[in-house]
Amino acid sequence: MPKLTGVFETLKDIDRVPIFDIKQWLRAKEQDFYLENYIGNRLLYPQTVAVSEWDMEIDLAIIREYIKRHTESFYDQEANRLIIPEDFIARFSPVNNLISAMLDVLTVHETTTIIALKQVADVVVAGSLITIPFTLKEDFIDISIDDQQMRFKVGKVQLLPIQDSQVKVVMEKDSDALFVPGGQIGLLLDLRMKGDRK
Amino acid sequence: MSTALMANMRPRIIRNACVYIKRSISAGGILSVQKHTEVAPHDILGKSRVSPGYSSVNLARQLGVNSKEADKYLQRQIGSTIYKGELLAFKKTIFGKKYVISPTDGILEEYYPKSGELRLKFLPKAVALTAGVFGVVSKVLPDKGEVFIKTLVTEVYGVYGFGRERSGMLHIVNSQNALLQPADLTSHMTGHILVAGSLVYLDAIRKAASLGVKAIISGGINFQDFNSMAGHFNPSERTDSDVGITIFATEGFGPIPIGADIYSALQEYDGRFVFTDGNDRRLLLPSGNPDSILTIRKTALPENNLPDPFPVVQAREITIGSKVRIVWPPLMGSEGVVIGIDKTATVLESGISTYMLAIETTKQKIKVPYPNVELLGTV
């Protein structure tokens, strides 16, 4: 049977990204040689997975820098679609952290964005991303999802695993309802403070 | 869990492989062996004369004269031979006589008027090219000075490396876990293939190259150091680089102890003649058994028997009793046996959901996510 591989095998030239660019995403300091060796071992053993929280933080920092250099592969501005390779979902779990990392380096122009999963032979709609269009001042926000009032804590990307083909969303201060697709990933609400957004 | 868990199996040690090895004589040497000859390690394939190097004498300073004039006092002509203790230069003044004695046997090669230095080339010495292995000579190329010998070896494959094929005596410098530093290297290691330990530093590599060390085998080197010497890393491509020394890594990047499987094979060969090719990530440990010739005689190899670029890595099922190697921290490089396979997934601290394996090493029992192991392949 062919060898197992993983996401990092597809990240071309990731070893040429300056370490300084990756370090800027990390909360704690790490030595350059440690990060360089980390990347080298990810290329050597692409099938491996992050064990610790720190491993995942480094992985997401690496993926941010890759996405930043290949934005066209991850955001289709014309179609207003965020494109996620299917193998990214399991590898950079949970998905809201992955979306949050992508949004750190991609500029999404519309309030609602389709999330599409890139599979081997196809691209399928897998959900929606809603970017709250106003400045969040309170700690919580009330949003109606399919006529159900829900309260969300502000500060990060929230995931609702809704698979329905159409979801009705009413913002707190916006009386117009939004009708967006759900899917395999679901509905994501970008509730990060405005200063955290790109 | 209904689907079998799979892991990559990467052949690391292939025993009793019949291969061709190449022995080369230095330029100007003459090969005396014939095709189809059966050889033993100490059999001579050919001879050459090799100058082991140079020495210099500052004539101007020793005679106390201007550098442009010092060569007038030479007692031998440039190009002539001189022996240790013989008179090299002589100057008579009103204050007395000054003698310069040759410090070594050699040939007066050149005088440099700018510096006042006289360069002496050491006298060439006869050097025999030995077979180094038990085998059968399959090809002799006198114009290139090359002999190909069919022989029986244990092949050891690393995970990356660089540098052309080199051969020499294997010498274990440190334990599996040690870090190789410049201070560990001495002139006694010239011509050797060193087994370093878990990591070799860049300045140690440089010093080793300057000492004439042929190759270094290590668990790992730093990724940046690798790129600075090899250019770029692509795990599926052969590196095509040589910086004057061959480097061969068995585990990964950074300090990782050489795996127990490879280390025990290396210990068997400490002090013995071996071959390594960093670009192919391959180490050949020739059989020391004279009876291996029986197998070699019976084994036919294609004329141009080039090895596979690297042994094929394939996915295989993990089962209880599988021997595995951990390929991600913690405990990267450790080897053990699978003693349990979880039936339900675990969510790791990283947020990833996966199945865990219970592994018993020589020191402890641990749980490892199944994607983070490779099956040990010893053929």
Side-chain angles (χ1 to χ4, degrees):
Chain A
M1 187 175 168
K3 67 173 183 179
L4 302 175
T5 183
V7 164
F8 281 87
E9 192 163 270
T10 63
L11 305 186
K12 284 184 185 173
D13 295 335
I14 196 63
D15 55 321
R16 294 190 175 167
V17 172
I19 284 296
F20 175 80
D21 291 351
I22 293 171
K23 277 167 72 167
Q24 64 170 328
W25 298 109
L26 302 176
R27 284 171 296 156
K29 282 187 182 175
E30 187 55 87
Q31 292 180 301
D32 288 7
F33 74 84
Y34 178 88
L35 293 172
E36 287 156 359
N37 290 337
Y38 187 103
I39 292 171
N41 286 324
R42 276 282 184 241
L43 294 174
L44 199 46
Y45 303 109
Q47 77 277 21
T48 54
V49 298
V51 174
S52 64
E53 211 177 313
W54 183 236
D55 277 357
M56 182 55 81
E57 190 168 334
I58 297 174
D59 282 349
L60 287 173
I62 295 169
I63 216 69
R64 283 187 186 91
E65 289 302 314
Y66 180 79
I67 292 170
K68 195 158 80 171
R69 287 159 173 77
H70 299 88
T71 55
E72 68 289 345
S73 299
F74 295 91
Y75 181 54
D76 180 347
Q77 195 173 328
E78 265 190 47
N80 188 31
R81 278 197 315 192
L82 204 62
I83 303 165
I84 306 174
E86 193 172 27
D87 51 0
F88 276 39
I89 301 296
R91 183 59 184 77
F92 300 107
S93 183
V95 71
N96 41 335
N97 286 354
L98 170 62
I99 299 289
S100 190
M102 293 176 77
L103 294 176
D104 283 340
V105 293
L106 295 171
T107 304
V108 166
H109 296 283
E110 306 289 339
T111 302
T112 63
T113 307
I114 303 295
I115 297 175
L117 260 191
K118 187 177 173 192
Q119 297 170 335
V120 174
D122 209 354
V123 177
V124 298
V125 171
S128 301
L129 168 71
I130 295 179
T131 306
I132 306 302
F134 43 83
T135 304
L136 294 158
K137 290 178 185 166
E138 308 293 332
D139 290 340
F140 293 90
I141 183 173
D142 293 319
I143 298 176
S144 167
I145 308 287
D146 280 343
D147 295 320
Q148 267 195 317
Q149 281 296 320
M150 296 175 111
R151 174 161 282 200
F152 298 97
K153 196 170 187 320
V154 160
K156 55 182 187 170
V157 173
Q158 292 278 4
L159 170 67
L160 298 169
I162 300 174
Q163 295 191 341
D164 300 342
S165 58
Q166 189 170 262
V167 183
K168 180 183 171 187
V169 179
V170 179
M171 304 285 195
E172 186 182 47
K173 292 175 184 176
D174 187 353
S175 59
D176 291 337
L178 298 169
F179 291 91
V180 297
Q184 184 181 333
I185 293 176
L187 183 66
L188 284 134
L189 305 172
D190 186 359
L191 300 174
R192 294 174 302 163
M193 302 305 283
K194 203 170 183 185
D196 293 336
R197 300 182 195 169
K198 196 171 187 291
Chain B
M1 176 188 65
S2 54
T3 318
L5 297 182
M6 309 294 281
N8 284 338
M9 196 197 81
R10 182 191 303 265
R12 282 163 57 92
I13 300 174
I14 301 174
R15 297 195 186 278
N16 297 320
C18 201
V19 300
Y20 291 124
I21 57 106
K22 182 175 71 176
R23 301 290 283 134
S24 303
I25 203 162
S26 48
I30 296 173
L31 293 169
S32 52
V33 72
Q34 303 292 321
K35 191 174 171 180
H36 303 307
T37 306
E38 288 185 3
V39 293
H42 295 295
D43 288 344
I44 293 173
L45 305 176
K47 287 184 182 172
S48 60
R49 294 186 69 77
V50 175
S51 173
Y54 298 88
S55 179
S56 67
V57 174
N58 197 308
L59 273 185
R61 187 167 54 236
Q62 291 202 31
L63 292 171
V65 300
N66 188 292
S67 62
K68 291 187 179 116
E69 298 174 352
D71 59 332
K72 289 180 197 168
Y73 302 97
L74 279 170
Q75 299 300 300
R76 299 285 175 97
Q77 287 194 347
I78 296 293
S80 63
T81 301
I82 192 164
Y83 294 94
K84 184 177 177 179
E86 289 186 340
L87 186 64
L88 188 56
F90 170 71
K91 178 173 171 263
K92 194 175 175 183
T93 70
I94 54 170
F95 300 106
K97 295 171 188 173
K98 283 194 178 174
Y99 301 92
V100 180
I101 304 298
S102 177
T104 183
D105 297 347
I107 297 169
L108 280 68
E109 178 150 285
E110 194 171 349
Y111 178 73
Y112 298 92
K114 209 169 176 181
S115 59
E117 296 267 345
L118 172 72
R119 187 151 96 156
L120 293 167
K121 185 177 175 181
F122 293 135
L123 284 181
K125 292 180 183 173
V127 175
L129 175 70
T130 56
V133 298
F134 290 103
V136 178
V137 175
S138 65
K139 200 191 299 186
V140 180
L141 302 174
D143 294 343
K144 288 185 177 179
E146 292 174 349
V147 178
F148 290 84
I149 304 173
K150 184 171 60 168
T151 187
L152 206 64
V153 300
T154 294
E155 293 179 292
V156 176
Y157 284 92
V159 291
Y160 63 85
F162 59 87
R164 64 173 175 80
E165 186 187 2
R166 290 183 166 90
S167 55
M169 290 297 178
L170 193 72
H171 176 182
I172 296 180
V173 180
N174 281 329
S175 66
Q176 273 170 282
N177 304 312
L179 311 174
L180 189 72
Q181 315 220 33
D184 298 321
L185 300 166
T186 68
S187 57
H188 298 295
M189 296 171 182
T190 301
H192 288 193
I193 291 177
L194 306 182
V195 178
S198 65
L199 183 83
V200 53
Y201 290 102
L202 181 61
D203 47 1
I205 293 174
R206 289 194 182 119
K207 183 175 176 185
S210 71
L211 286 174
V213 168
K214 294 288 188 74
I216 301 177
I217 300 164
S218 170
I221 70 170
N222 285 325
F223 190 52
Q224 184 60 19
D225 296 343
F226 174 88
N227 281 328
S228 70
M229 290 181 286
H232 180 53
F233 177 61
N234 185 330
S236 53
E237 281 177 8
R238 185 180 183 275
T239 318
D240 210 357
S241 166
D242 189 85
V243 297
I245 188 168
T246 294
I247 301 296
F248 175 96
T250 64
E251 309 304 325
F253 291 102
I256 308 169
I258 297 177
D261 58 338
I262 290 179
Y263 196 75
S264 62
L266 297 175
Q267 283 178 311
E268 285 176 36
Y269 278 79
D270 193 12
R272 291 166 63 177
F273 199 75
V274 301
F275 301 80
T276 186
D277 188 322
N279 291 329
D280 283 339
R281 309 166 191 176
R282 195 166 83 132
L283 175 69
L284 299 180
L285 309 176
S287 171
N289 185 354
D291 292 339
S292 64
I293 200 75
L294 300 171
T295 307
I296 295 164
R297 277 183 204 147
K298 288 188 293 191
T299 308
L301 289 178
E303 188 70 18
N304 294 318
N305 185 40
L306 296 171
D308 287 333
F310 315 116
V312 176
V313 178
Q314 291 192 317
R316 298 267 175 95
E317 186 181 350
I318 303 169
T319 58
I320 302 288
S322 293
K323 288 185 187 170
V324 295
R325 183 172 71 99
I326 299 170
V327 295
W328 195 258
L331 300 175
M332 184 172 181
S334 300
E335 295 176 5
V337 176
V338 175
I339 57 172
I341 301 175
D342 283 4
K343 291 189 169 29
T344 54
T346 299
V347 177
L348 303 174
E349 185 190 285
S350 60
I352 289 177
S353 175
T354 186
Y355 292 92
M356 305 292 280
L357 303 175
I359 293 172
E360 185 169 12
T361 70
T362 53
K363 292 178 185 171
Q364 58 192 304
K365 291 178 186 169
I366 45 176
K367 281 223 153 169
V368 179
Y370 86 91
N372 291 358
V373 304
E374 282 194 347
L375 292 163
L376 274 176
T378 300
V379 179

